[in-house]
Amino acid sequence: MRPPGRTGIPTAPPALLLLPLLVPLLGAPRGVGAGASAPAELRVRVRLPEGQVTEESLQADSEADSISLELHKPDGTLISFTADFKKDVKIFRALILGELEKGQSQFQALCFVTRLQHNEIIPSEAMAKLRQKNPRAVRQAEEVRPPEQLHMDMAVNFSQGGLLSPHLRNVCAEAVDAIYTRQEDVRFWLEQGVDSSVFEALPTASEPMELPRCGQVADRGKPCACRYGLSLAWYPCMLKYCHSRDRPAPYKCGIRSCQKSYSFHFYVPQRQLCLWDEDP
């Protein structure tokens, strides 16, 4: 394998926020009528942290026990997130438009793979039953979760990636040499029986000297430590439960939405592969 890199706060009481957002669907959600195994798709308009509005696509596959989210940023970048509950894996992918005048290709792909905690997002069967009352409404997250800094010190071997998650081969197909993960997550997956051939150490893992930040490197051919940030502007992070006199126990009656930002730090063999990281 070649070195990787080559190629909140609620604004109103929850009970008031619940009704105009998403509620469990009484009939079949869009996409389910074609068969029991067809993923259910939901499209919502969301407000990004920068203030712009974009459309977000959410898909849930109950049979595969997975969820995917996709949105376009105003600069043309395509962000996607996949949660694989069966394998305890989450995959972030960024397709970044290249700057042709700087010698870049048409686009650059990055994939970041980390362990999925099951309380991060609602279950796939719950996601598949969601609908919205007002498709034209612009959704804004009720809760802003603390940002996360992740140091990606391992690489995922694309040819063996299916052993980690069957979704990886499809999601990260454009990022064959730029699939990153962390040693702490690798240890967990190895304990779950994932073969060690899936993972490879990055050069920085064995080098005592810390690489300079890419924003501080003038030579575009030199290796450096890159940083890439992305945000999930709106996603269903928790189920809400209601109480009724007619029911002896609480029942699922909606969702709580969250926003969360991530900052990934990782090795690139050339400064040319991290031109967006211009901060000193």
Side-chain angles (χ1 to χ4, degrees):
M1 180 179 176
R2 291 174 291 175
R6 207 178 300 178
T7 50
I9 302 174
T11 57
L16 297 179
L17 288 172
L18 174 62
L19 293 177
L21 287 176
L22 301 179
V23 294
L25 184 64
L26 299 178
R30 182 171 58 173
V32 171
S37 61
E41 182 181 12
L42 186 72
R43 292 185 177 273
V44 297
R45 300 177 71 216
V46 301
R47 190 173 301 281
L48 300 175
E50 300 82 7
Q52 302 95 331
V53 174
T54 189
E55 185 177 77
E56 184 175 285
S57 169
L58 300 101
Q59 286 195 344
D61 189 331
S62 300
E63 185 175 323
D65 200 7
S66 66
I67 289 171
S68 64
L69 177 157
E70 188 172 272
L71 63 86
H72 274 96
K73 293 176 60 178
D75 64 2
T77 300
L78 178 64
I79 300 294
S80 69
F81 167 80
T82 301
D84 181 348
F85 291 95
K86 285 186 177 181
K87 297 292 187 177
D88 298 304
V89 169
K90 59 184 177 184
I91 306 170
F92 300 88
R93 183 194 65 185
L95 295 181
I96 308 162
L97 292 180
E99 299 182 58
L100 300 180
E101 67 277 8
K102 295 183 178 180
Q104 292 183 309
S105 57
Q106 187 175 3
F107 68 87
Q108 183 175 345
L110 299 171
C111 264
F112 305 103
V113 187
T114 62
R115 177 184 176 184
L116 174 67
Q117 306 289 343
H118 284 218
N119 60 352
E120 293 183 61
I121 193 167
I122 66 172
S124 60
E125 66 271 15
M127 181 81 84
K129 295 177 181 178
L130 296 180
R131 69 171 173 87
Q132 54 184 333
K133 288 186 173 181
N134 183 4
R136 298 303 304 164
V138 176
R139 313 296 174 186
Q140 192 154 357
E142 298 171 75
E143 177 184 342
V144 178
R145 291 190 165 178
E148 214 173 322
Q149 302 275 340
L150 299 103
H151 294 271
M152 314 303 280
D153 48 11
M154 297 285 288
V156 176
N157 186 335
F158 178 77
S159 64
Q160 302 295 316
L163 300 176
L164 178 60
S165 169
H167 303 277
L168 191 139
R169 296 295 301 275
N170 179 47
V171 175
C172 300
E174 297 91 354
V176 172
D177 298 312
I179 309 174
Y180 303 91
T181 188
R182 304 184 297 173
Q183 289 191 38
E184 59 192 88
D185 296 324
V186 169
R187 285 192 291 268
F188 168 78
W189 291 320
L190 292 177
E191 292 172 359
Q192 303 306 305
V194 177
D195 194 272
S196 60
S197 65
V198 175
F199 311 104
E200 296 182 10
L202 289 169
T204 49
S206 58
E207 293 177 359
M209 296 296 291
E210 186 175 346
L211 281 174
R213 277 277 308 281
C214 287
Q216 302 170 334
V217 175
D219 189 340
R220 293 186 180 178
K222 294 288 187 181
C224 54
C226 185
R227 177 185 62 182
Y228 186 77
L230 60 82
S231 177
L232 301 182
W234 189 97
Y235 66 98
C237 54
M238 295 174 61
L239 292 173
K240 286 183 178 179
Y241 291 83
C242 294
H243 300 265
S244 171
R245 293 179 180 179
D246 302 327
R247 301 190 183 189
Y251 60 95
K252 300 173 186 175
C253 58
I255 59 97
R256 182 173 183 81
S257 58
C258 288
Q259 172 192 312
K260 188 172 178 66
S261 297
Y262 301 84
S263 181
F264 299 96
H265 302 257
F266 54 99
Y267 164 88
V268 291
Q270 302 174 34
R271 169 72 176 95
Q272 176 73 12
L273 298 171
C274 187
L275 293 182
W276 58 80
D277 194 0
E278 299 288 356
D279 296 336

